[in-house]
Amino acid sequence: QVQLVESGGGLVQAGGSLRLSCARSGRTFSISANAMAWVRQAPGKEREFVAAISWDGYVTYYAEPVKGRFTISRDNAKNLVYLQMSGLKPEDTAVYFCAADSTQFGRLGTTIRQYTYWGQGTQVTVSS
């Protein structure tokens, strides 16, 4: 069982930046061979796919609303995944979840159902 922990959320003004981090909980499992994703959920809305990165970091995918503003990256040596968010807008306000694909060395998934392991989320609030 892979457990994930997100951090880095907070309150920021529109136009500002935040960097979210996702780490595995404990040392039992590595996430360095798993595709990873960020998904968000705004109040009263369904979960929305934000970005994903292949296990080796060479392939990334972004949802249209965040293209050009968000960057997903990873450091496999440290078992960390990041989401750098710039040009934040009030509509980016949501709880952001980190997710891991259960398949090792698999192809990059771009839908929520392809991800098995989830963190508890970190709140991002963008004020206007």
Side-chain angles (χ1 to χ4, degrees), residues 4-80:
L4 304 171
V5 179
E6 302 93 338
S7 61
L11 174 63
V12 64
Q13 289 187 332
S17 300
L18 280 175
R19 189 177 80 158
L20 305 182
S21 298
C22 172
R24 60 173 180 176
S25 178
R27 295 178 177 271
T28 306
F29 295 97
S30 169
I31 56 174
S32 61
N34 304 75
M36 301 292 294
W38 287 95
V39 173
R40 67 187 181 186
Q41 186 167 23
K45 296 187 177 181
E46 294 185 353
R47 287 193 178 188
E48 176 188 25
F49 200 91
V50 175
I53 188 166
S54 60
W55 68 270
D56 55 5
Y58 286 131
V59 182
T60 56
Y61 169 86
Y62 298 94
E64 284 295 331
V66 307
K67 274 185 180 179
R69 299 187 298 122
F70 291 11
T71 301
I72 189 171
S73 61
R74 65 190 302 158
D75 184 337
N76 282 346
K78 297 181 179 179
N79 275 274
L80 290 169

